């Protein structure tokens, strides 16, 4: 059995590749980062360099040759960017891979989506999979929703390939190049002061990358799953943002930092101004309206469907995940003293 893992040079994809390789599963890894791809090859892992946002149908077919299962982790997940870039990375690439998968009779196509499709600037708890925002908060959420729609549109016509959609919330862990690096950079720029709406009292879910790999494994192996099924994935331990930061930054990493409570309306106005400036300058804003909203509004997911149908319960709890993340940060030199 061979599993194709996209987005294999960082984040979730890199963790997935390393876990599969350790289990003795044949892996074909693909990603844009040639240096990290070379590292995978040196460990005996097949690596095919590719920018999925720009591949042709022929290249997609080549990637899927002799593949039994796809773990599609790659995406453009930035809070800011050009709409065409998001479309190409999140919609076009997913469509091409899915079309190649059904042409090759791939057994399972596990697609990593996002709970961002739920976010609508309101407090929401225990969100079920059927919920969607009436208006998406940014290009990322919109294009990920479009990608889901494309896959759902293929389900009835291609019964030999089972599509499963996973929506993990707030990924953290080894090889993260998005969430923790941004927090650490902000702390350096602000000299240890972290400005947060509500002082970090927003109730949120986070998800350790290893638990998502476990969910992908379950979605790949369980018989009887309905094609097109979507599942929320989290660590099932909601907590305030302030408490989570204290456990990671303070307790685990021993950083000297301070949370400064800021009025959300003021931060919302400031983020709108930054977005206007960025449209003129072409530079990414320090923070966006979406990022401030995500730090202000409560947002937790219901995992009842994943528990019931996948038997999904996190094999790594938040405490262990935080400790493993801190250990990885220290070992790989991404922890900078303030």
């Amino acid at each position: 059995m061979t599993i194709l893992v996209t987005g294999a040079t960082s984040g979730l994809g890199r963790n997935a590749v390393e876990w599969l390789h350790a289990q003795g599963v044949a892996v074909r890894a693909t990603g844009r980062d040639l240096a990290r791809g070379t590292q995978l090859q040196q460990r005996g892992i097949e690596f095919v360099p590719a920018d999925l946002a720009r591949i042709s149908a022929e290249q997609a077919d080549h990637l899927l040759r002799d593949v039994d299962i796809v773990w599609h982790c790659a995406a453009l997940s930035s809070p800011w960017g050009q709409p065409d870039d998001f479309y190409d990375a999140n919609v076009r690439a997913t469509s091409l891979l899915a079309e190649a998968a059904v042409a090759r009779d791939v057994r399972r196509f596990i697609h990593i989506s996002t709970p961002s499709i739920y976010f609508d600037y309101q407090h929401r708890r225990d969100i079920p999979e059927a919920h969607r925002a009436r208006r998406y908060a940014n290009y990322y959420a919109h294009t990920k929703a479009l990608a889901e729609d494309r896959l759902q549109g293929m389900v009835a016509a291609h019964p030999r390939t089972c599509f499963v959609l996973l929506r993990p919330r707030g990924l953290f862990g080894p090889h993260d190049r998005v969430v923790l690096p941004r927090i650490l950079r902000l702390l350096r720029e602000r000299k240890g002061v972290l400005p947060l709406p509500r002082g970090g009292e927003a109730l949120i879910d986070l998800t350790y990358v290893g638990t998502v790999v476990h969910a992908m494994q379950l979605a790949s192996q369980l018989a009887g799953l309905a094609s097109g099924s979507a599942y929320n994935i989290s660590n099932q331990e909601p907590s305030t943002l302030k408490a989570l930061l204290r456990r990671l930054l303070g307790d685990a990493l021993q950083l000297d930092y301070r949370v400064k409570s800021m009025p959300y309306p003021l931060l919302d106005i400031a983020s709108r101004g930054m977005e206007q400036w960025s449209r003129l300058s072409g530079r990414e804003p320090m923070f966006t309206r979406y990022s401030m909203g995500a730090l202000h509004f409560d947002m937790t997911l219901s995992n009842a469907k994943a528990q019931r149908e996948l038997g999904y319960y996190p094999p790594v709890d938040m405490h262990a995940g935080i400790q493993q993340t801190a250990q990885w940060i220290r070992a790989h030199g991404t922890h900078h003293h303030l």
Side-chain angles (χ1 to χ4, degrees), residues 250-270:
D251 299 342
L253 288 175
Q254 297 291 301
L255 290 179
D256 183 15
Y257 79 100
R258 177 172 63 89
V259 170
K260 182 179 180 180
S261 183
M262 298 285 288
Y264 173 67
L266 179 63
L267 291 171
D268 183 62
I269 292 171

Side-chain angles (χ1 to χ4, degrees), residues 147-161:
E148 285 200 14
D149 293 342
R150 291 285 182 92
L151 296 181
Q152 295 289 3
M154 300 177 70
V155 168
H158 303 286
R160 287 188 294 187
T161 298

Side-chain angles (χ1 to χ4, degrees), residues 6-151:
T6 69
T9 53
S10 67
L12 175 61
R14 178 66 179 266
N15 283 273
V17 167
E18 291 186 351
W19 184 86
L20 289 168
H21 183 63
Q23 300 301 309
V25 177
V27 183
R28 178 173 299 151
T30 186
R32 294 181 302 169
D33 192 321
L34 297 181
R36 287 178 171 82
T38 299
Q39 293 173 1
L40 295 176
Q41 289 176 323
Q42 290 171 346
R43 297 175 58 182
I45 298 168
E46 180 186 3
F47 176 73
V48 181
D51 182 352
L52 297 184
R54 293 172 174 81
I55 61 168
S56 65
E58 292 75 18
Q59 289 171 314
D61 179 72
H62 179 74
L63 278 175
L64 270 295
R65 185 185 58 201
D66 301 323
V67 165
D68 301 284
I69 297 172
V70 173
W71 287 7
H72 183 32
C73 305
L76 177 57
S77 59
S78 170
W80 188 259
Q82 296 300 313
D84 288 348
D85 293 339
F86 283 100
Y87 185 88
D88 289 344
N90 298 339
V91 184
R92 179 181 175 275
T94 300
S95 296
L96 282 177
L97 286 174
E99 289 164 3
V102 299
R104 289 279 184 177
D105 286 332
V106 167
R107 181 162 55 88
R108 291 277 170 101
F109 191 103
I110 312 304
H111 175 67
I112 300 302
S113 189
T114 175
S116 295
I117 65 175
Y118 305 142
F119 185 77
D120 57 1
Y121 297 97
Q122 296 185 54
H123 295 294
R124 294 193 181 276
R125 299 187 183 184
D126 296 322
I127 302 171
E129 286 83 355
H131 178 74
R132 276 203 187 186
R134 291 186 179 181
R135 182 178 179 181
Y136 299 112
N138 54 21
Y139 295 130
Y140 170 64
H142 188 195
T143 53
K144 292 296 283 186
L146 288 175
E148 285 200 14
D149 293 342
R150 291 285 182 92
L151 296 181

